[in-house]
Amino acid sequence: MNTKAPVAGFKVALYFSCLAFYLLTGCAKQTKSSESARQNATRQNSAPPNIVFFLVDDLGWSDIGAFGSSFYETPNIDALAAQGMKFTNAYAACPVCSPTRASIMSGKYPARLNTTDWFGAPQPTTVGKHWTKNKPLLPAEYLENLPLEETTLAEAFKANGYGTFFAGKWHLGESPEYWPEKQGFDVNKGGYWAGSPRGNHYFTPYDNSRLSDGPSGENLTLRLADETVSYIGQHKNSPFLAYLSFYAVHNPLGAPEALVDKYTEKKKRLGLEDQWGNEGESKVRLNQTLPVYAALVETMDQAVGKVLASLKANGLDKNTIIVFMSDNGGLSTAEGQPTTNLPLRAGKGWLYEGGIREPMVIHWPGVTKVGSVTDQVMISTDFYPTLLEMAGLPSLPDQHVDGISLVPALKGKNMKRGPVYWHYPHYGNQGGSPGSVVRAGDWKLIEWFEDGRGLELYNLKNDIGEKNNLAASNPGKTQELHTLLQNWRQEVGANMPSKNPMAAQNAGK
């Protein structure tokens, strides 16, 4: 009797049973491993996006290469524009800084908040000590802080689990109770009452209670970038909102000597000479030739580059939304006239396009088409609802009442945009006069409040430089927009300037 056959059969059966068990468990392990990798990838892809917001102070519409400058060099911002979407009709909510900054933080028009002038500008009761004391109008009274009752953009993100970081210029209240750390930011590096760099200006010592001095020769703009880079590195494993609000390129001008020398030589090499014109009673610069301003712009660009490089180094560049914007137009008619906004008219402190239209870029990885451009109109109140939607967070419609989401535009679609408005019932230090503005489609109406100035109507599609006032030749459109503007001022409770009873008496003094 052959007993080996059953044994052999048993071994063969056992072999195939083991093989089947190995294959099944191996496949199961492999499947489990693949599923785990897929889930990890899904979690990574669905992680809340980080937000990096660059806000530049006094940067003009044509002050970077991507928006037309051939004298200033901004390779990092140009590269950002090439990766994201350029907005060619992007507006600040005011031609001066504090109101625009408040509009970004609140999602509300300055007129609704009553924050219509830079904080520290004369009030009706103090104008007697100001150069505008002889003007026909007294400025409207305004609020000199961002009200604590507002739920700020930072507070909205913080409430949804985001870390919040602020660096640079704040200028939204004199008292510390109104500073960034009281308005939703976990960290504040350099944000306090001042609207321009104090101390040694763009170099240490800074004389800033919210920013320690650095080693000799340290540059303020680059230091703020370094602080932002440090925060990003420390918080790369959780979502954050990093808001880098440069003091640059605000007066007083200052930049590394080597860069100033570079642009002095460039100006000479290109044979450039300063060109001047007039805007009302003000002298206006007509070309970009000032070396120290060019150096300051490039230093700001280097700082942007530092932050963008840190995102990539930390593996965050694919899941970080980047915003680049200025708070008002470039300074072209006063205080040294360091730049020009041409082809736009005038600049900071004016209600013409040069005072309110800004260079703006948004890069939303995987959503915005690379190198895309839109001419759809946006205004700084729009950032609040836009960023909430981009981050997948609930909207706060009672808060950002004056903004709309730009997400459709960022996805290449048309937005449903109604008129946008400005209200500046003050005399600008740069020569601008009190007035209000409405833009509806291609049409823009300016109402000046001084007697005799009246209304100005422009078609911006055909006349970006606002040279041809069509108010008299198109009374229908003028009346239509004027009615819109008047109704809007009533709806938001806009404060108005008043007659200056001392103007005639002060005129000869």
Side-chain angles (χ1 to χ4, degrees):
M1 181 176 176
N2 186 356
T3 59
K4 292 183 179 181
V7 172
F10 173 76
K11 289 182 178 180
V12 170
L14 180 62
Y15 170 80
F16 281 108
S17 296
C18 290
L19 178 61
F21 176 79
Y22 172 79
L23 290 173
L24 286 171
T25 57
C27 289
K29 288 180 180 179
Q30 186 175 16
T31 301
K32 185 176 182 180
S33 177
S34 299
E35 177 65 17
S36 177
R38 186 190 66 78
Q39 289 176 350
N40 287 338
T42 300
R43 279 195 296 270
Q44 185 176 5
N45 291 336
S46 63
N50 307 301
I51 313 291
V52 172
F53 196 119
F54 295 107
L55 185 65
V56 191
D57 194 5
D58 288 2
L59 187 74
W61 187 65
S62 55
D63 276 355
I64 62 176
F67 279 78
S69 179
S70 59
F71 188 63
Y72 311 146
E73 297 177 20
T74 54
N76 294 295
I77 301 167
D78 296 346
L80 176 64
Q83 287 297 310
M85 176 175 282
K86 285 173 50 180
F87 285 73
T88 60
N89 278 294
Y91 289 96
C94 190
V96 294
C97 59
S98 299
T100 298
R101 293 163 186 273
S103 76
I104 295 171
M105 282 293 126
S106 68
K108 293 180 178 178
Y109 281 124
R112 190 184 297 276
L113 287 177
N114 194 25
T115 55
T116 50
D117 208 354
W118 60 273
F119 296 173
Q123 296 278 9
T125 55
T126 62
V127 76
K129 300 179 180 180
H130 194 254
W131 68 268
T132 58
K133 65 181 181 180
N134 301 331
K135 293 291 187 178
L137 300 175
L138 290 176
E141 186 177 359
Y142 71 97
L143 187 64
E144 297 187 56
N145 58 68
L146 175 60
L148 296 176
E149 295 77 18
E150 301 297 324
T151 301
T152 68
L153 179 67
E155 287 169 335
F157 272 86
K158 187 174 181 177
N160 284 279
Y162 273 69
T164 52
F165 170 85
F166 182 89
K169 174 176 171 175
W170 182 244
H171 202 192
L172 288 176
E174 183 175 1
S175 170
E177 67 180 302
Y178 298 107
W179 294 357
E181 55 268 48
K182 300 296 185 180
Q183 300 274 22
F185 288 98
D186 300 324
V187 180
N188 171 23
K189 296 292 184 178
Y192 67 141
W193 61 269
S196 59
R198 294 320 201 233
N200 196 26
H201 306 310
Y202 284 102
F203 297 91
T204 193
Y206 304 121
D207 189 23
N208 186 322
S209 61
R210 289 298 186 267
L211 188 69
S212 62
D213 292 334
S216 178
E218 182 182 74
N219 179 272
L220 173 61
T221 305
L222 298 177
R223 165 69 179 280
L224 295 174
D226 289 339
E227 294 285 358
T228 308
V229 167
S230 177
Y231 180 86
I232 289 171
Q234 294 170 16
H235 295 80
K236 61 184 177 182
N237 294 320
S238 56
F240 58 79
L241 165 67
Y243 196 95
L244 176 47
S245 174
F246 292 109
Y247 282 95
V249 292
H250 195 287
N251 273 348
L253 304 181
E257 185 177 350
L259 279 180
V260 177
D261 291 343
K262 167 187 171 179
Y263 284 99
T264 300
E265 173 59 30
K266 183 175 183 178
K267 178 179 179 180
K268 180 179 178 181
R269 185 176 71 253
L270 296 176
L272 298 176
E273 295 184 359
D274 299 348
Q275 298 177 10
W276 302 96
N278 294 290
E279 182 60 67
E281 298 178 359
S282 301
K283 182 180 177 182
V284 61
R285 180 181 285 273
L286 300 180
N287 61 347
Q288 297 176 344
T289 58
L290 188 62
V292 65
Y293 185 83
L296 183 54
V297 170
E298 184 171 341
T299 304
M300 179 274 297
D301 179 80
Q302 291 174 357
V304 170
K306 278 192 169 195
V307 176
L308 297 181
S310 75
L311 292 173
K312 187 170 185 179
N314 285 290
L316 302 175
D317 54 315
K318 304 300 184 185
N319 195 39
T320 299
I321 294 163
I322 301 167
V323 177
F324 179 90
M325 179 71 162
S326 176
D327 65 344
N328 51 248
L331 184 59
S332 66
T333 61
E335 300 164 340
Q337 298 102 337
T339 194
T340 182
N341 302 292
L342 288 175
L344 306 184
R345 183 174 177 180
K348 178 182 179 178
W350 295 74
L351 287 169
Y352 294 119
E353 292 293 285
I356 54 178
R357 197 187 293 207
E358 314 302 330
M360 178 182 148
V361 175
I362 294 181
H363 176 41
W364 189 1
V367 179
T368 51
K369 183 179 178 182
V370 172
S372 54
V373 180
T374 180
D375 62 359
Q376 296 187 71
V377 173
M378 70 80 57
I379 193 165
S380 51
T381 54
D382 296 337
F383 285 124
Y384 201 133
T386 300
L387 292 173
L388 288 180
E389 183 174 352
M390 293 168 83
L393 303 181
S395 64
L396 300 174
D398 292 337
Q399 176 59 55
H400 48 74
V401 63
D402 293 317
I404 69 167
S405 175
L406 305 176
V407 166
L410 291 165
K411 292 183 176 181
K413 301 176 182 178
N414 289 326
M415 298 188 300
K416 295 181 179 179
R417 159 66 79 193
V420 290
Y421 300 91
W422 293 262
H423 183 61
Y424 188 56
H426 311 278
Y427 289 99
N429 283 347
Q430 301 77 25
S433 296
S436 289
V437 174
V438 57
R439 176 171 176 175
D442 294 326
W443 292 98
K444 176 182 177 181
L445 181 86
I446 306 175
E447 179 183 4
W448 301 109
F449 298 146
E450 285 185 348
D451 289 342
R453 294 204 58 179
L455 304 173
E456 295 179 11
L457 177 70
Y458 299 100
N459 185 300
L460 296 176
K461 183 177 182 180
N462 301 326
D463 181 21
I464 194 173
E466 296 170 288
K467 298 177 181 178
N468 186 19
N469 180 8
L470 302 175
S473 62
N474 197 335
K477 180 60 69 172
T478 299
Q479 183 57 51
E480 174 192 339
L481 295 187
H482 193 207
T483 299
L484 280 177
L485 188 54
Q486 291 173 313
N487 291 342
W488 172 79
R489 283 202 301 259
Q490 183 175 4
E491 187 252 315
V492 301
N495 278 3
M496 298 292 286
S498 58
K499 297 287 186 180
N500 181 4
M502 301 299 292
Q505 297 180 39
N506 290 333
K509 298 180 181 179

